[in-house]
Amino acid sequence: MLIWSPPRQRWAELVPIEEAADGMFAEHGITFPPGNFLDFGSTVDSVLADGDPPVGFAALGPVDGGTHLYQLAVHPAHGRRGHGSALLRAVVAKASDGVTLTTFRDVPWNAPWYVREGFEVYQPAPASGVALILEHERDAGLFELGARVAMRRRPPTGG
């Protein structure tokens, strides 16, 4: 796996990966509204990609003093080969301050997979950045598609 940080001018190449990965949700009755990770605008400040040309990516940005994973997507043609896990490990390694995300609670490759990867479901503080992300998702209709949860992986402790 080749994990790297593509320059912003190459981020548009990642949209077809996201669109293909989103198609996998249809088997769970989930069809996303129009849009992609580029619509997050200035909130996404870095991207990690796997492969060149990329087969997957993770979109990140600062939230609540830590790193928020806005999107993790692997093209289905390259799924179940460790690309998602490699990207997530790279995100965790890059984010010494811990990682938060929001995801579907009951989709097997969402919350259950993140739990296996060391994340926990948590209730964000009211008016926190993650709470505002969940509110935005509710307004965008994502909660009508399935139960959503906030998750976090705390930074490592010790010394």
Side-chain angles (χ1 to χ4, degrees), residues 40-144:
F40 291 120
S42 63
T43 58
V44 170
D45 71 354
S46 66
V47 170
L48 296 176
D50 185 2
D52 193 8
V55 299
F57 73 94
L60 311 168
V63 174
D64 296 333
T67 299
H68 189 77
L69 176 59
Y70 282 97
Q71 178 74 318
L72 177 71
V74 174
H75 194 287
H78 299 274
R80 305 197 56 80
R81 297 182 195 163
H83 295 287
S85 295
L87 281 162
L88 189 59
R89 282 192 302 273
V91 167
V92 169
K94 178 179 177 161
S96 60
D97 48 8
V99 180
T100 59
L101 59 91
T102 60
T103 193
F104 287 105
R105 182 188 67 201
D106 302 319
V107 175
W109 62 88
N110 278 200
W113 179 72
Y114 286 111
V115 167
R116 290 191 303 275
E117 295 293 329
F119 284 75
E120 62 185 358
V121 174
Y122 81 108
Q123 183 63 45
S128 67
V130 175
L132 294 174
I133 290 169
L134 285 169
E135 183 179 313
H136 174 75
E137 291 176 354
R138 181 176 284 110
D139 293 345
L142 291 182
F143 279 66
E144 295 169 20

